[in-house]
Amino acid sequence: MAPFAASASPAALSYGFLRRRPSPICRFSATFFLPLPSATLDQSRRLSAVWPTPLRSRRGSSSSLPAMASEKALASKGKQGLLVFDTEEELSVSLAKYAAELSEKFIRERGAFTVVISGGSLVKSLRKLTESPYLETVEWAKWHIFWVDERVVPKDHEDSNYKLAFDGFLSKVPIPPGQVCAINDALSAPGAAEDYETALKHLVNIGVVVKSATGYPRFDLMLLGMGPDGHIASLFPSHPLLNVTDKWVAFIKDSPKPPPERITFTLPVINSSSYVAMVVAGAGKAGVVGKALGNEKTADLLPVEMISLEDGELTWFADNAAVSMLPDKPSL
Ligand code: 6PG
């Protein structure tokens, strides 16, 4: 893959894009970064988990995660894996390592790393990425940030996923502002969805985002949360949006989780990802995790159960509380 023109950096391409479009979405409303933290990682973390075999074999023996993961194997099959941590703190440490390793891999392979984030508690679980050693070692200049879903509110609104991510993550790492693809908050929900999809198409055309074999954008890494009802992105149980395949970005005006108006990636876009991390912490998620990863399958699939990656790897990052209703041998 050779997505970038040799003469232009990703940032230059993005900024060029901004200049050409009167209503850009890849823009940044803030113009400064907060002071950089200098905390060190706790290397004494304990982990009980299983790591997906394909990723383990690619990581090689230099990675400490597979060795730690072998401490307690729960289950693994195909391109799904489950990592269970004693605490959310340990989960956060491992998630940072996972993201940093994928960053290195994709930047080595194609000079960029496209990362999709959700709102909710996921952002807090990204905190270790903003600390040493990742703060200094990750090539942040090559990162491109997208949102799997966004609430249609101003970016400085308390409900904004952009604000949540900016306050908890983006303000602490030096990702070029032009590579942060936020919603155009001046538009209505339908307009914002169309605008975001148009911008994605441009980024696919210039090679920043890869195109999947089935024609959808193929992001390098999606970092997702899951609601206690099993929703992912703004795709809610039994909602007709789950069936949309002719759009990359859709809008919703009747979200059961407030606020009601949102835009969201559609299921085929999520399923085209190279890597997906499903981050679930807390007892509030235990029932759905038990259903999604349990052995009793029912016809009424929850959105999270509809994740079926075309050609990628799904890894669940869970704490003990979130898997408390899971049988010993989960269905993976
Ligand atoms: C949103 C989020 C949403 C979130 C889940 C999980 O905008 O509402 O993107 O999809 O990820 O609801 O949120 P919690 O982890 O906070 O439960």
Side-chain angles (χ1 to χ4, degrees):
M1 288 178 277
F4 295 124
S7 58
S9 71
L13 289 170
S14 264
Y15 284 123
F17 177 47
L18 296 187
R19 280 197 301 275
R20 281 197 300 278
R21 298 187 73 231
S23 176
I25 66 156
C26 291
R27 62 192 173 187
F28 207 68
S29 57
T31 54
F32 62 92
F33 292 105
L34 296 179
L36 303 176
S38 59
T40 54
L41 285 176
D42 173 13
Q43 299 297 337
S44 64
R45 61 199 186 272
R46 289 181 301 128
L47 168 72
S48 56
V50 65
W51 191 250
T53 305
L55 185 57
R56 176 169 53 205
S57 61
R58 280 210 287 277
R59 284 162 177 259
S61 56
S62 61
S63 166
S64 62
L65 187 53
M68 296 169 69
S70 68
E71 285 175 18
K72 178 183 170 189
L74 294 178
S76 114
K77 185 175 107 185
K79 292 185 174 182
Q80 275 203 69
L82 170 66
L83 295 167
V84 182
F85 303 87
D86 285 344
T87 64
E88 189 277 338
E89 174 77 4
E90 292 165 4
L91 181 160
S92 174
V93 169
S94 183
L95 186 66
K97 181 176 173 60
Y98 169 85
E101 289 184 4
L102 287 177
S103 168
E104 194 182 335
K105 163 186 152 61
F106 281 100
I107 292 169
R108 188 176 58 241
E109 287 176 3
R110 66 185 203 85
F113 188 41
T114 54
V115 179
V116 177
I117 58 177
S118 74
S121 57
L122 176 273
V123 174
K124 187 174 166 232
S125 294
L126 295 179
R127 63 190 179 279
K128 297 293 179 186
L129 259 181
T130 71
E131 299 175 0
S132 284
Y134 306 113
L135 184 59
E136 301 85 12
T137 56
V138 165
E139 280 193 79
W140 297 107
K142 305 285 176 59
W143 280 47
H144 296 256
I145 295 287
F146 305 85
W147 275 264
V148 74
D149 70 335
E150 176 59 286
R151 294 94 179 271
V152 182
V153 293
K155 286 197 197 62
D156 58 357
H157 193 283
E158 280 308 310
D159 284 338
S160 164
N161 281 344
Y162 169 85
K163 180 178 182 340
L164 182 73
F166 181 80
D167 291 347
F169 177 51
L170 297 173
S171 61
K172 302 176 182 182
V173 293
I175 298 171
Q179 293 167 207
V180 176
C181 289
I183 190 174
N184 184 337
D185 59 1
L187 301 174
S188 63
E194 192 184 336
D195 189 62
Y196 209 95
E197 181 163 322
T198 301
L200 284 186
K201 284 187 171 147
H202 175 78
L203 293 172
V204 167
N205 285 340
I206 64 174
V208 171
V209 177
V210 174
K211 194 173 197 171
S212 78
T214 46
Y216 294 103
R218 176 171 169 77
F219 292 97
D220 300 331
L221 172 62
M222 284 203 185
L223 296 160
L224 304 184
M226 178 195 78
D229 58 353
H231 83 260
I232 51 167
S234 285
L235 301 171
F236 292 89
S238 306
H239 196 282
L241 268 194
L242 286 165
N243 304 316
V244 173
T245 57
D246 62 345
K247 292 191 184 318
W248 295 0
V249 186
F251 69 90
I252 177 171
K253 289 189 163 186
D254 59 354
S255 165
K257 178 182 180 183
E261 299 206 359
R262 296 149 170 257
I263 68 168
T264 180
F265 282 2
T266 56
L267 202 51
V269 173
I270 294 172
N271 280 332
S272 298
S273 309
S274 292
Y275 291 86
V276 173
M278 179 57 61
V279 179
V280 284
K285 309 286 166 72
V288 173
V289 171
K291 173 170 171 13
L293 299 181
N295 296 313
E296 286 178 28
K297 286 294 162 203
T298 54
D300 58 329
L301 291 181
L302 295 170
V304 72
E305 295 176 276
M306 296 182 188
I307 298 182
S308 175
L309 302 186
E310 291 287 333
D311 179 22
E313 292 184 11
L314 167 63
T315 303
W316 289 72
F317 285 77
D319 67 357
N320 273 337
V323 295
S324 57
M325 295 174 73
L326 198 60
D328 281 349
K329 287 188 179 297
S331 151
L332 281 170

